[in-house]
Amino acid sequence: MAKTTVSLIKADVGSLAGHTVVPQPLFNVANKKLAEAKKEGIINSFYVFNAGDDLELLMTHDKGENSSEIHGLAWDTFKAGADKAKKLKLYGAGQDLLKDAFSGNVKGLGPGVAELEFKERGSDPIVVYAADKTEPAAFNYMLYKVFADPFNTAGLVIDPKMSGGFEFEVLDAYENKTVTLKTPEESYSLIAIIGTTERYMVSRVLRSEDKEIAASSSTTKLALIAGQYVGKDDPVCLIRGQSGFPAMGEITMPFLHSYLVAGWMRGSHWGPFMPVGLKDSKCTVFDGPPRIVALGIQVSNGELASDDDGKPMVVDIFADLAFDMARREALELAAALRRMGEFEPARLGPEAMEYTTLPSVLKKLEPRFKAAG
Ligand code: F6R
Ligand code: MG
Ligand code: MG
């Protein structure tokens, strides 16, 4: 049987009122472009949504991962969105399109990508995560909980199809190298590296037993591409659920509570991750707090399962009172951190600040430093 690919490709191509939210005209551009591509048979189905100021293109097709046709389609769609944003003089128009020309793959050009290619099972539920005002390593903690923590994922203990554990592929963003670690055997070593969120990020998770792909996460480091701060690489992640993978409720379980991630205002602060429904997917206070949306989808015969009118059916998972406690915790953490202003640990450490505008502030002071006696 042919394989199906789910591609989630995102970029900030301009937003309304600073870096707050993707406005309707940009949705219109993206929906039109992807509807044309569907008609031409390039993709089978699509759903356009936003995480704060990031435009998210969720597509299904049969072209595999890293397809130049699919990445080219996303690039052209972002370009068209950026043109519209420029016309409207929206903020940060074209912000994440760091290069002028497309060269076969959007990786390294600015947009973030998560893709899953798999042979369809009897039924294929997937959780689609998209976050704003944070970075890919923000998913390290969540992915560890989902795939390696039996206190989060009951299936690791109860379901024999999962007891062989999972393998984590981790990217060292400084050295551009990957390492694969197997849980539960190497859990401690895994935490030793992915706990360093500044440098290491989980790129993929495979089921150990049969090497079946379980999760895929975007791993761009915009700052490392551009050499300066150009907005955080607001990340996306796709996770397969049920029947030998974590249940949907085990995948979303880490968001019963909030936890701290790097990003928020000017990409320079620790902030609480706040799970929100699509209607609250906009970054407001102190440009945040960092927000995450979760969509539940079913992949069905190469398409997103659709209703009678052909509209993809999507569950807006965090638009639920079960996540109220995490939201309240997030706001309490936000208040505590913001009370500290620009003092560490509320502000990120010096390595992360290298890529912000802080070094140019410090440069001005340089000539005034005298040797201490
Ligand atoms: C964070 C982000 C915003 C901006 C901030 C300043 O990823 O995008 O917090 O850094 O609003 O933006 P500029 O420098 O464009 O005025
Ligand atoms: Mg922006
Ligand atoms: Mg963003």
Side-chain angles (χ1 to χ4, degrees), residues 12 51 53-54 132-133 232 234:
D12 177 350
D53 62 5
D54 293 286
D132 189 31
K133 304 293 187 275
K232 273 277 177 225
D234 305 319

Side-chain angles (χ1 to χ4, degrees), residues 167-233:
E167 291 177 6
F168 289 67
E169 183 188 279
V170 180
L171 174 73
D172 174 345
Y174 289 1
E175 297 283 330
N176 202 26
K177 285 182 182 159
T178 61
V179 62
T180 300
L181 293 173
K182 184 178 178 325
T183 59
E185 294 87 331
E186 298 180 296
S187 299
Y188 297 167
S189 307
L190 177 65
I191 293 175
I193 59 169
I194 67 172
T196 304
T197 49
E198 171 60 23
R199 175 164 184 170
Y200 300 98
M201 52 196 83
V202 178
S203 43
R204 277 146 53 91
V205 181
L206 308 172
R207 186 164 53 197
S208 298
E209 197 181 275
D210 52 5
K211 309 290 180 238
E212 190 66 25
I213 183 81
S216 167
S217 187
S218 60
T219 49
T220 20
K221 265 271 189 195
L222 288 182
L224 299 184
I225 302 170
Q228 61 177 43
Y229 185 72
V230 282
K232 273 277 177 225
D233 334 69

